[in-house]
Amino acid sequence: MSATATRLRRVAAVATAAVAVTACGGAVLLPPSVSSNDRGVGPVVESMRRTISDPNAIVPSRSVQESTLIGASSTSPLDILVVGGGATGCGVALDAATRGLRVGLVEREDFSSGTSSRSTKLIHGGVRYLEKAVFNLDYGQLKLVFHALEERKQVIENAPHLCHALPCMTPCFNWFEVVYYWMGLKMYDLVAGRHILHLSRYYSVQESIELFPTLARKGKDKSLRGTVVYYDGQMNDSRLNVGLACSAALAGAAVLNHAEVVSFLKDEGSERIIGAKIRDNLSGQEFETYAEVVVNAAGPFCDSVRKMANKNAQSMICPSSGVHVVLPDYYSPEGMGLIVPKTKDGRVVFMLPWLGRTVAGTTDSNTSITALPEPHEDEIQFILDAICDYLNVKVRRTDVLSAWSGIRPLAMDPTAKNTESISRDHVVCEDFPGLVTITGGKWTTYRSMAEDAVNAAIKSGKLSPRNECITGNLRLVGGDGWESSSFTVLAQQYVRMKKTHGGKVVPGVMDTASAKHLSHAYGTLAERVATIAQNETLGKRLAHGYPYLEAEVAYCARNEYCESAIDFIARRSRLAFLDTDAAGRALPRIIEILAKEHNWDRSRQKQEMRKAREFLETFKSSKNAQFHDGKHQ
């Protein structure tokens, strides 16, 4: 009873303060929590920052990285070998490398090829968790929100070119909803404290329509009473993930994509894991690499990695499917999202502007674990039906430019006595000697997840880092020195040299759309891409209506470990996610440029085309929809 009363007092204190302060339009700054930012590691951060932000720095080639892994022997092992190149895995590699540890990372497919490229694109604190904290009197949930809001601000600050604050509008259809959402979102502001992005506020019906012209004034049996707008973060998820991988490489980690763990190496006496046998999926070559500790960060596939160590390992992943659809830009205005916290069947739906288009979702349903999950047509229809109730424009199935499914690795702690409740937080465990598993959590908290995993690995392997975690204050590659106005330099100082179909070289303007795209995608390194476009006659756009340039293919092949056509259309650029059919039309030219960069023969080029087209078939655009029921034509 006393524990419940304590939780009640804590939650009630936050709620009371929120109402009291925000009624006056103010904000209270909560006492700062101790984080890795506050540990007096300034000189180390500055040294590593100079290394990562050096304009002349080039990531080691893939062959060099592979040689480093091969060179890690039983007498001279790595400190940490990371399995999995998603957000958490690359975060672990960066964290460990910046602590002075010797680090390797292998990823079966490509960096961000799984869950990390198929997210909602939001960096959020978890408004729903705050609601649960208040109504369930759960201080644990409240702490999760505190933590996520702190991490949200750090992610945005560490990669300002790839992340930004996004206002999100919540429609209210009666005055109770107006008061309820206003108070709840003001509490969200308060909990954010010094990590707040911007204050939330109420907008009248007329103001709301001016901000979001496609918002419906009337529903089936209700009228709009206004909206409450609050702020969360938005990101380009896979480019952020690639930035983590490249930052880790510059910091000294040997990162290798398209490299799969075949089996683990174990010490004959203690049975402790001491390394792994790895297959390079591009060359077919197999080799062994040794490490004091292996960190399993394989996301939805972490159970299969654990079962390599112990075939009887208890499963800890409960996979959930999240489907998203991409619609034309006219569905939502630039710079304003729409979030409905509770639809008629109790789910959350949203529409967010993203890279010049509108992304809508999401679903949350049980699924099986597959390498290439596909959205079901009924899930696509659910999303379209749900947003239809809140818009004054016709929602058509034929407008779907792309639809994809991602698998959320919801985690259960295998060492916990009670496994009834699935955690939305992350789990770190070492249920086999030498193998530390990190899973669960969400994109927003990848950095602190990585910090926890590295701490566990240091303890497991009795490692000796030269300093504590510094990633809370470390800009990723391309982020240091970037300003939102940086694109103007590209527009003013560069041209896009292009080859016509007849082979004639003609200059083109580095227009605002292309300049902004390059600046946001590559940060301070955008000038390198612009130089290639200008000097190597690669200034042509890859797809009509999109700002992606041919020069990006060459740049990514040279500097971002882009090893296949799928790597480019899905992760280095976002064309597959934005417009599946446009990505298909761009493939021949993308493969032509990659063939030149990687010396592919005709057979490899045909293989790349086949694999890429099979990959795009898993994205359900309007043209490859499974059926039309006449509802959204």
Side-chain angles (χ1 to χ4, degrees):
M1 185 69 182
S2 59
T4 303
T6 301
R7 288 199 301 269
L8 176 60
R9 283 196 298 271
R10 286 170 173 168
V11 174
V14 173
T16 304
V19 174
V21 175
T22 56
C24 302
V28 165
L29 299 185
L30 297 170
S33 59
V34 177
S35 72
S36 55
N37 291 26
D38 310 310
R39 294 175 183 163
V41 289
V44 179
V45 174
E46 284 306 313
S47 173
M48 193 54 66
R49 178 174 288 167
R50 284 194 297 271
T51 299
I52 293 175
S53 64
D54 182 353
N56 299 313
I58 303 291
V59 295
S61 69
R62 188 174 183 279
S63 60
V64 167
Q65 301 287 52
E66 186 169 59
S67 296
T68 300
L69 292 174
I70 293 172
S73 64
S74 57
T75 55
S76 179
L78 299 168
D79 289 314
I80 295 175
L81 174 66
V82 185
V83 180
T88 306
C90 289
V92 169
L94 177 62
D95 187 323
T98 54
R99 296 198 207 192
L101 297 173
R102 194 174 169 211
V103 186
L105 178 147
V106 291
E107 160 58 45
R108 178 175 61 181
E109 297 294 336
D110 181 32
F111 307 120
S112 198
S113 59
T115 302
S116 296
S117 63
R118 296 166 180 262
S119 76
T120 298
K121 321 305 178 195
L122 282 177
I123 314 167
H124 61 96
V127 173
R128 284 181 296 165
Y129 305 150
L130 180 61
E131 186 179 34
K132 289 177 184 176
V134 173
F135 285 100
N136 297 339
L137 309 179
D138 189 340
Y139 187 62
Q141 291 273 7
L142 186 61
K143 286 200 298 182
L144 280 179
V145 180
F146 271 108
H147 176 62
L149 287 169
E150 178 181 2
E151 290 297 319
R152 178 188 70 175
K153 189 68 178 290
Q154 288 184 340
V155 173
I156 294 172
E157 289 178 349
N158 286 345
H161 56 305
L162 295 167
C163 310
H164 61 272
L166 177 71
C168 299
M169 179 177 282
T170 301
C172 306
F173 291 95
N174 57 57
W175 291 112
F176 171 78
E177 285 186 349
V178 170
V179 175
Y180 181 80
Y181 290 134
W182 182 84
M183 288 179 62
L185 293 170
K186 282 298 179 184
M187 193 185 302
Y188 194 55
D189 292 346
L190 182 75
V191 171
R194 65 192 177 102
H195 305 291
I196 192 172
L197 301 179
H198 300 284
L199 282 170
S200 60
R201 61 159 290 185
Y202 165 78
Y203 287 94
S204 68
V205 174
Q206 186 57 40
E207 289 173 324
S208 301
I209 297 300
E210 289 174 2
L211 289 169
F212 205 111
T214 54
L215 183 64
R217 285 175 178 265
K218 291 185 179 292
K220 291 176 181 175
D221 54 355
K222 52 194 176 183
S223 297
L224 189 68
R225 301 299 181 191
T227 62
V228 181
V229 173
Y230 73 100
Y231 287 79
D232 259 330
Q234 190 177 47
M235 63 178 164
N236 187 336
D237 53 6
S238 72
R239 284 217 54 82
L240 183 57
N241 199 156
V242 169
L244 281 167
C246 292
S247 298
L250 290 171
V255 299
L256 191 68
N257 55 353
H258 301 284
E260 180 175 3
V261 172
V262 177
S263 61
F264 284 124
L265 308 175
K266 295 182 181 179
D267 180 80
E268 292 181 4
S270 65
E271 284 292 298
R272 180 182 176 88
I273 290 176
I274 56 172
K277 187 175 183 179
I278 295 164
R279 179 171 58 240
D280 183 335
N281 286 332
L282 297 181
S283 68
Q285 177 190 2
E286 293 190 356
F287 59 90
E288 294 180 347
T289 189
Y290 289 80
E292 299 286 358
V293 185
V294 175
V295 173
N296 172 15
F301 300 95
C302 80
D303 280 338
S304 61
V305 173
R306 291 170 63 241
K307 286 174 182 177
M308 282 186 196
N310 176 11
K311 63 181 180 181
N312 298 317
Q314 178 186 341
S315 295
M316 61 187 296
I317 293 297
C318 182
S320 170
S321 168
V323 172
H324 300 79
V325 302
V326 171
L327 299 163
D329 56 351
Y330 55 73
Y331 275 89
S332 64
E334 184 179 354
M336 179 66 74
L338 181 73
I339 293 187
V340 181
K342 196 169 286 187
T343 59
K344 54 193 174 189
D345 66 351
R347 300 200 220 183
V348 176
V349 295
F350 59 80
M351 286 199 325
L352 309 170
W354 183 63
L355 302 182
R357 296 294 178 265
T358 300
V359 61
T362 178
T363 60
D364 189 358
S365 52
N366 293 333
T367 188
S368 57
I369 297 175
T370 58
L372 287 176
E374 297 185 30
H376 296 297
E377 195 66 29
D378 57 350
E379 293 174 308
I380 296 172
Q381 297 289 4
F382 160 74
I383 294 170
L384 298 178
D385 285 338
I387 63 175
C388 185
D389 292 340
Y390 299 92
L391 300 179
N392 61 16
V393 296
K394 187 176 181 181
V395 180
R396 306 179 302 180
R397 178 62 178 86
T398 51
D399 282 341
V400 175
L401 300 170
S402 181
W404 74 86
S405 174
I407 300 175
R408 300 183 186 96
L410 304 181
M412 297 177 291
D413 189 343
T415 62
K417 293 179 181 178
N418 178 13
T419 57
E420 289 178 4
S421 60
I422 298 168
S423 175
R424 290 275 175 171
D425 198 7
H426 63 275
V427 173
V428 182
C429 65
E430 184 180 7
D431 52 353
F432 196 92
L435 180 65
V436 172
T437 294
I438 171 79
T439 193
K442 55 186 178 180
W443 238 117
T444 308
T445 57
Y446 86 85
R447 191 210 61 80
S448 63
M449 289 170 63
E451 182 178 354
D452 289 347
V454 174
N455 288 342
I458 289 170
K459 182 178 179 182
S460 171
K462 298 181 174 61
L463 307 177
S464 302
R466 74 173 174 226
N467 52 265
E468 294 185 21
C469 175
I470 64 171
T471 55
N473 227 355
L474 186 66
R475 291 275 174 96
L476 300 187
V477 62
D480 203 25
W482 182 85
E483 300 287 346
S484 56
S485 59
S486 296
F487 75 95
T488 57
V489 175
L490 302 176
Q492 290 177 342
Q493 298 184 11
Y494 291 88
V495 295
R496 299 188 292 121
M497 302 302 293
K498 306 179 284 186
K499 261 188 185 176
T500 65
H501 287 297
K504 185 180 178 182
V505 176
V506 295
V509 175
M510 183 66 76
D511 55 278
T512 301
S514 294
K516 278 187 174 180
H517 157 66
L518 293 180
S519 179
H520 281 281
Y522 302 94
T524 55
L525 303 183
E527 289 191 51
R528 290 190 188 178
V529 188
T531 300
I532 295 173
Q534 179 172 278
N535 296 348
E536 300 182 32
T537 319
L538 290 173
K540 204 171 185 179
R541 292 193 179 192
L542 289 165
H544 178 71
Y546 294 89
Y548 301 111
L549 306 183
E550 293 174 337
E552 295 179 66
V553 185
Y555 175 83
C556 293
R558 299 170 195 174
N559 300 281
E560 292 187 353
Y561 304 112
C562 179
E563 304 295 332
S564 74
I566 297 174
D567 290 356
F568 185 81
I569 62 174
R571 271 89 59 175
R572 303 311 181 280
S573 77
R574 310 315 310 278
L575 201 48
F577 285 82
L578 290 169
D579 191 328
T580 305
D581 300 323
R585 291 192 295 271
L587 275 175
R589 182 58 178 146
I590 291 170
I591 292 172
E592 185 182 354
I593 298 170
L594 286 174
K596 185 178 179 182
E597 295 293 326
H598 293 313
N599 297 314
W600 291 344
D601 59 18
R602 289 275 181 182
S603 174
R604 174 65 188 273
Q605 292 179 54
K606 287 181 180 178
Q607 182 187 46
E608 285 291 321
M609 180 64 76
R610 177 180 55 79
K611 286 184 175 179
R613 293 204 182 282
E614 288 174 358
F615 174 79
L616 290 175
E617 282 297 316
T618 67
F619 288 70
K620 303 304 178 185
S621 68
S622 60
K623 290 187 179 177
N624 67 354
Q626 293 170 1
F627 65 86
H628 294 292
D629 63 1
K631 196 169 192 178
H632 296 291
Q633 297 296 313

